[in-house]
Amino acid sequence: MTQSHRISGGQVDRTKTVRFTFDGIPYQGHPGDTLASALLANGVRLMGRSFKYHRPRGPISSGSEEPNALVELRTGGRQEPNTRATVVELFEGLDARSQNRWPSLRFDAMGINDRFSTFFAAGFYYKTFMWPKSFWEKIYEPIIRRAAGLGSVTRQEDPDEYDKGFLHCDLLVIGAGPAGLMAALTAGRAGKRVILADEDFRLGGRLNAETHAVGQASGADWAVAAVAELAAMPNVRLMTRTTVMGAFDHGIYGAVERVSDHLPVPAKGKPRQVLWRIYAGKAILAGGATERPIAFENNDRPGVMLAGALRAYANRWGVKAGERVAVFTNNDDGLRTATDLMARGVDVVAVIDSREGGELIPGVRHLRGAEVIDSSGKLGLKTITVRQSNGKTEDIRVDALGVSGGWNPNVNVHSHHRSRPVYDAGIAAFVPGEDGPPGLSVTGAAAGVLSTHGALRTGRDAAMAALGLTGAAPDLPEAEDAPVRVSPLWFVHHGKGRAWIDQQNDVTVKDVKLAHKENFTSVEHLKRYTTLGMATDQGKTGNVLGLAVMAELTGRSIPETGTTIYRPPYTPVAMGTLAGRSRGKEFKPFRLTPSHHWAKEQGAVFVEVGNWLRTQWVPKAGETEWRQSVDREVLATRKSVGICDVTTLGKIDIQGTDAGEFLNRVYANTFSTLAVGKCRYGLMLREDGIVFDDGTTARMGENEYVMTTTTANAVTVFRHLEFCRQVLWPEMDVQLISTTEAWAQFSVAGPNARKLLEKVVDQDISDASFPYMGAANITVCGGLRARLFRISFSGELAYEIAVPTRYGDALLREMLARGAEFDPIVYGTEALGVMRIEKGHVAGGELNGQSTALNMGLGKMVSKKKDSIGMVLSQREGMVQEDGYRLVGVKPVDPKAALTAGSHFLEKGAAAVAANDGGWLTSKVYSPHLGCDIALGYLKGGDKKIGQRMRIVNLLAGLDTEVEIISPHMFDPEGERLRG
Amino acid sequence: MADALKAMTAFGLREPKQVKIGALSIKELTDVALASVAARKGRMADLSRAAAAAGLPLPGPSTHAPGDPYSSFWVAPEMWLVEAPFASHELIADMLRAALGDGASVTEQTDAWVGFDLTADDLTALMQRLCNVDFAMAPDGHATRTVMEHLGVYLIKRGKGAARVYGPRSSAESLLHAVEAAAVALA
């Protein structure tokens, strides 16, 4: 199809042709076209179906406010629903499809909804689908959702990348129309760092859509020159295709730059979009204004458009939206559409002006005091019905109608901090109110200054004021300065048909009337009851219209009625853009242990522990199932010696003359008595007395300690200690620094642990020289500095040995090689878990943020002889109950029976209801030594129930097993092995 | 130190990682020893005297001060991270402890960090993608804590086209990947 509706002029590049398809039909356009302008150029005005009634719809606007012309773009993982055809930059091979229709756009079977519109009025679902209640989720809602809707999402992964970034500037100018360009020129010429961002791919705003002269040039040409001047300034960053979508705290603005949306596929490695966080010293909102329609019956037919859009298509894109055009306006600006179109040779058959007075446009049938009351045309506008001032009605054959109800300043970003816009009767619109985001001023049409001269002037003045510029202000080019002459007309009183207000959500004047009738008169209630303004366009063309209709119904003024709250984002932002690079394997950074590369060579299985990848187990040849590996690792360790990378445990270096006293205060048990060269197990409580963390702390010197935390709490404990140091006790001489990553630390456990270590440690580590709970700075392998701690989590004779991280891999290999005679194995977190549960040591399942030291059987560790964080509140009545939860060991009476963590304790014969709940299993493993599942759990009065039989029940897993309550110390309860 | 134990880089290699993407060069640092130095409570004057005698600069906030053999940058009130050549100062903590006496708390930090030297004609655009530091306006020698792709790092500006980044050693691969991805997006 040729471009039948292309007329002369415009800013498209006619020397080049761009091919694209819509619903599979090939078309041609030019670079500089949007999808909407190119389709209109090809005579296509039916572009979509409406949300609820499946009414045929075409574009009403030429910008981001578009509610109707929503399409799906691309295919596969790049498929993108609900994209506004009015802002899609045409590119070669663009594949666009209409949506929310079946089987085709021209014949949509769901159009039947329109016949039953009476049933779909506001509030219909709430009133109708109430019984039976159970039907809502499974029957009613799915049917409604299928019938109503927009585009479909792809189920495939988006193959593109999204980036984020940070920018700084003295002045952020939002919008590059005349006001924004003049503000940027003023600031840029003064040498300030300026960012000028505009959502369009062509800067200039309405200057590109109008025929006004600016200075000696056309507005569009002046914009080109201004942009060229700005582009040459090193202190100015021009950001096209960039929507400033929100004002956030402290002068921070969010902006989405569509880097590659105008390309078929992003260049390799290039992001499709970038989410920018802009730190702006000052900001100027020059976001222009949005024209609003006038509601009349059947005002939603393809061909009924905003008057400003109609002339934008003609002036900017060289497209006539119809062969026979009429204009319906309540203000002078609408008249410009008629004059511009006539100047381009378009047949303007009538101007319907709701006002009685004003100037007459020569050369056209200008009906004053008239209104459009209805339209007809199944898939597009064919006829409008006009009621003249004398009351007579007349049908006029047209295929395009430009409607102008006045212009609404785009106050959105200024209102993102809940500033309420105020009504300006002079322009019959809301303008920015007080208390906008600090540092943000508003200029031009966004401030309600609707002339070109006014935009240029306020843009310049706002930049001067915002930046405190002194000296001569830049001269302004001459430009039109026409006053705003508008007589408010929100909707045409006529008939009983539907007059659309919010076209995207299919909200009509009747819906607003119904809301009023049912007393949903507040704008916030109106919004939620009718869904006015709740679509992806956020009611940019409909909101003010809706509240004005409500104002008329209630008899309140428009300012009294007010607006709803404006919130970011200004236009829809894709989830992928918000996620940036944080997705899939890059969702978060990984932390690798010093033994990671060795473990990978061995085919180890890794588990994510926070950001760490820890070795879970290390399979050997012939092992087909994880339990085989884990059992082997446990048995080998208890038989001879095993090595485990425990680098992930938090390590905090604590120094200072008050370090001992500091530890006394942060740990529940005493540390000031710890001798140099010794370690002690410490229990840390929260302020409320609940156990926070545990670990060992070693005294390495007179004023020098090394604290170990759990892997999970490494950061939170460090943060807590810094809080204590800086805020609670700033008078103490304590210095802290994390050394978690600085040292590669390995647990070496088992009867032959010492013998193995003696192969690498340079010093004497006999039991006499280095007894249980010893700690020392040592050297290994002939002089490398290292640390040795004789501590045990496994219950075996065990040590933790640490070397600078770069030597960790080598130390592990050396220990395995030199100690080969002891058949050492490397064990992972699973075997670690088995051995600690066999010993009754608490870990994540028990340190659950709800449990006290008493619950864990560690009540005596909370020293009453000194004050410490959490000590007082740990003694609260409810936390020291005799029959409270106590840590117990559990094993099944039938050794073959399985246990499941999370199962609950019940007495024999008790019903499995919450009232009979005795506690729960916190951790469970299979113990190769005991030959059965074993578990730890919190049981009410558990310390008095050792030896008793109970049931553990898991209703989800269908488990009901008889168990024996035993001591949590299930292996070597006397601790003979660890002191060996 | 010990012949038997061969050092491994943060990437599990023997040699430092080097990457070139367009005009950007990324070089892993393996020849820098690091230690933290913090003044003991009320002992700043003692530390200042000892540091001056030892040739250790103690710059003010947000600043890196180069020196030989010790360079350092401010990380917290009365606390610095000190750099020195690894070959001569592997035992940097012991050396500083000896030089500074009991007026300071010294902790070895060499292997707590992975360091990268980034060089290009201009690193501004790369930094805009990586962190919220206003790199263009920061003076040479600006040292600050910031976040790159969820990782807490130190960034030191050494010129318009030169910067040093210290990030957590265990996340070396993730940090390098973040820098590489940003560089590819800009190349």
Side-chain angles (χ1 to χ4, degrees), chain A residues 163 165-166 168 193 237 270 582 586 590-592 653 655 730 733 735 738 741 781 785 805-807, chain B residues 2 8 41 90 105-109 111 128-129 131-132 134 137 149-150 169-171 174 177 185 187:
Chain A
D163 218 336
F166 310 84
H168 300 77
R193 279 207 297 175
R237 183 185 186 113
K270 305 286 181 201
S582 302
E586 293 171 38
F590 285 111
R591 301 176 80 181
L592 304 184
D653 207 64
Q655 297 189 42
D733 177 27
Q735 293 81 44
S738 168
E741 313 236 345
C781 300
R785 64 198 178 285
T805 305
R806 68 181 62 198
Y807 301 109
Chain B
M8 190 178 251
K41 192 87 196 165
E90 179 170 356
S105 290
V106 178
T107 304
E108 180 173 330
Q109 286 281 294
D111 285 350
Q128 285 170 344
R129 294 290 175 95
C131 63
N132 68 352
D134 190 355
M137 296 303 282
E149 206 55 48
H150 309 286
R169 181 185 170 103
S170 64
S171 295
S174 295
H177 178 76

Side-chain angles (χ1 to χ4, degrees), chain A residues 161 163-169 193 237 257 259 268-271 274 276-277 279 581-582 586-594 597 601 611-612 653 655-658 703-704 722 725 730-739 741-743 780-785 787 803-807 809-811 813-814 818, chain B residues 1-14 29-32 36 38-41 76-77 79 81 86 90-91 94 97 104-113 125 127-137 147 149-151 167-174 177-178 181-187:
Chain A
E161 290 178 13
D163 218 336
K164 68 171 188 300
F166 310 84
L167 296 173
H168 300 77
C169 60
R193 279 207 297 175
R237 183 185 186 113
E257 183 180 12
V259 180
K268 190 170 166 47
K270 305 286 181 201
V274 179
W276 292 103
R277 186 190 294 186
Y279 297 78
R581 294 193 181 276
S582 302
E586 293 171 38
F587 181 68
K588 60 182 182 181
F590 285 111
R591 301 176 80 181
L592 304 184
T593 62
H597 298 284
E601 286 168 21
N611 289 356
W612 288 104
D653 207 64
Q655 297 189 42
T657 52
D658 293 324
N703 298 315
E704 194 176 340
E722 276 291 357
R725 186 184 78 92
E731 72 285 358
M732 294 187 91
D733 177 27
V734 177
Q735 293 81 44
L736 305 171
I737 190 161
S738 168
T739 58
E741 313 236 345
W743 297 86
V780 296
C781 300
L784 177 69
R785 64 198 178 285
R787 290 167 167 177
V803 290
T805 305
R806 68 181 62 198
Y807 301 109
D809 174 272
L811 176 67
R813 291 174 199 267
E814 203 64 19
R818 294 194 190 185
Chain B
M1 288 302 293
D3 291 344
L5 298 183
K6 285 209 174 82
M8 190 178 251
T9 70
F11 294 89
L13 303 170
R14 299 288 175 218
L29 295 170
T30 52
D31 56 353
V32 178
S36 66
R40 291 270 168 95
K41 192 87 196 165
M79 188 168 185
L81 214 51
F86 184 83
E90 179 170 356
L91 300 179
D94 291 343
R97 230 174 262 128
S105 290
V106 178
T107 304
E108 180 173 330
Q109 286 281 294
T110 306
D111 285 350
W113 305 92
M127 289 304 160
Q128 285 170 344
R129 294 290 175 95
L130 285 173
C131 63
N132 68 352
V133 174
D134 190 355
F135 192 79
M137 296 303 282
V147 174
E149 206 55 48
H150 309 286
L151 295 166
R169 181 185 170 103
S170 64
S171 295
E173 290 189 10
S174 295
H177 178 76
V184 168
L186 291 165

Side-chain angles (χ1 to χ4, degrees), chain A residues 881-893:
Chain A
Q881 287 175 337
E882 281 290 309
D883 58 349
Y885 291 115
R886 296 291 182 274
L887 189 72
V888 294
V890 176
K891 67 175 185 182
V893 172

Side-chain angles (χ1 to χ4, degrees), chain B residues 7-26:
Chain B
M8 190 178 251
T9 70
F11 294 89
L13 303 170
R14 299 288 175 218
E15 298 300 322
K17 194 99 172 171
Q18 295 200 51
V19 180
K20 213 160 162 48
I21 299 167
L24 175 73
S25 154
I26 308 168

